[in-house]
Amino acid sequence: MHLRIRYVNTGTVKESGEKHKGSVEIPNLSEENEVDDTEINVSKKKGEGDVLKDLMRTEGTMKVREALRDYLKALKTEFTLGMILPTKAAVGQEPAAEQKPSGNTVQDCVSPQPLDIVGVKIPTVKILMREIFSSPADELYSIFTTKELVQKFSKCPAVIEAEKGGKLLMFDGCVSGEYAELVPSQRIVLKWRCRSWPDEHYATVALNFKDMAAQTELELECTGVPVSNEESTRQCWKKQYFEEIRTLLQQSKDSME
C-alpha cells in the first residue's frame, strides 16, 4: 500500500497579514516506512512568505507526521476488520439444510444471520446444535459449572466462577467469557469468545438441558459468531466439548461398574 498525498495550504504571516499559497507533498507514505522517516516536501508559490515556509518545514512537519500516524493507524484498523468480511456468496447464501441425525446427534444446523451484531460491528451467524447425553440433567449441568469436572474433560487448568457475572477461562486461555444466567439443571447462558476473534467481540451461548430420565437432550444456541469462524466454532463445541464430555461420562460409568 503506497499512498501519495498532496494538498494546497493557505497560511497567513502574522506580521504582514498577507496570505500565501503553497503545498505539502508526501511522496513515500507507506506502511513499510516509519512515519519519522517519511519524506515531507514543502513548497510555495513565488513571492514573499519565507517565514511561513520555514514554519511549515519545522513545526508544520511535526504536525503533519502526527496526523500521518493517526491516519495509518486508522487504515490498519479498517484493513484488519475487512479481513473477516464475508464474500458476496457468504452474505447471500441460503440457510444450510437441516442435517439428518447420526449417532447421538439429534440436529446440527447453522443459520446465517448477517445482521446480528455483538460487540464490534461484523457480520455474524447463529449456530444451533442438539445432542443426547447418557446422563441425567443435573449431572450434565454440573460438568459445565464445576471447576474440577471442566478441567477433566478439557484436560487444562480452568477458571470457573459459576455465578452470574462469574469469569470463565478454558483451554489455556483460548476460550474466555463469563456466566450471564444459571438455572440449576435447566439452563446456562454464557458471554463467550475464542481468542482468535476480533478484540472485545463476544457471542452469546445458551445451553438448555432437557431431562429425559437417564438421558439429557442438550440444546446449544450460539448467537454472534463471526462469519469467518463459523466452522471452527462448531467444531470447537463438537470436538472439545461434547466428545470429551461423553468420554468423561463413560469413564465415570466404567469406574462405577
Side-chain angles (χ1 to χ4, degrees), residues 89-134:
V91 173
Q93 63 185 347
E94 294 297 322
E98 184 176 311
Q99 299 178 5
K100 294 183 179 180
S102 59
N104 289 322
T105 301
V106 175
Q107 181 183 11
D108 181 4
C109 64
V110 178
S111 302
Q113 302 286 326
L115 296 181
D116 276 346
I117 303 297
V118 179
V120 296
K121 295 182 178 180
I122 60 174
T124 65
V125 297
K126 179 171 68 176
I127 296 176
L128 177 65
M129 303 169 70
R130 290 188 179 91
E131 302 279 336
I132 298 294
F133 291 89
S134 299

Side-chain angles (χ1 to χ4, degrees), residues 119-234:
V120 296
K121 295 182 178 180
I122 60 174
T124 65
V125 297
K126 179 171 68 176
I127 296 176
L128 177 65
M129 303 169 70
R130 290 188 179 91
E131 302 279 336
I132 298 294
F133 291 89
S134 299
S135 167
D138 58 346
E139 182 180 358
L140 186 60
Y141 177 92
S142 68
I143 289 179
F144 286 93
T145 55
T146 305
K147 179 179 179 179
E148 291 74 19
L149 295 176
V150 170
Q151 292 182 152
K152 279 187 177 181
F153 82 76
S154 66
K155 300 180 177 64
C156 292
V159 175
I160 302 295
E161 300 174 354
E163 60 183 17
K164 187 173 182 179
K167 301 303 179 185
L168 169 78
L169 191 66
M170 298 176 61
F171 306 116
D172 289 327
C174 290
V175 167
S176 61
E178 67 179 50
Y179 291 88
E181 179 186 348
L182 296 104
V183 181
S185 305
Q186 297 181 36
R187 178 175 170 85
I188 299 172
V189 179
L190 303 169
K191 181 182 176 183
W192 188 94
R193 65 174 268 106
C194 289
R195 185 165 55 192
S196 60
W197 291 5
D199 291 345
E200 302 304 319
H201 182 85
Y202 287 82
T204 298
V205 173
L207 298 167
N208 292 297
F209 302 80
K210 183 179 180 181
D211 203 342
M212 303 189 305
Q215 292 185 322
T216 300
E217 179 184 288
L218 176 62
E219 179 188 82
L220 176 144
E221 183 178 287
C222 190
T223 305
V225 177
V227 169
S228 59
N229 298 104
E230 172 188 315
E231 184 60 26
S232 62
T233 301
R234 184 159 31 125

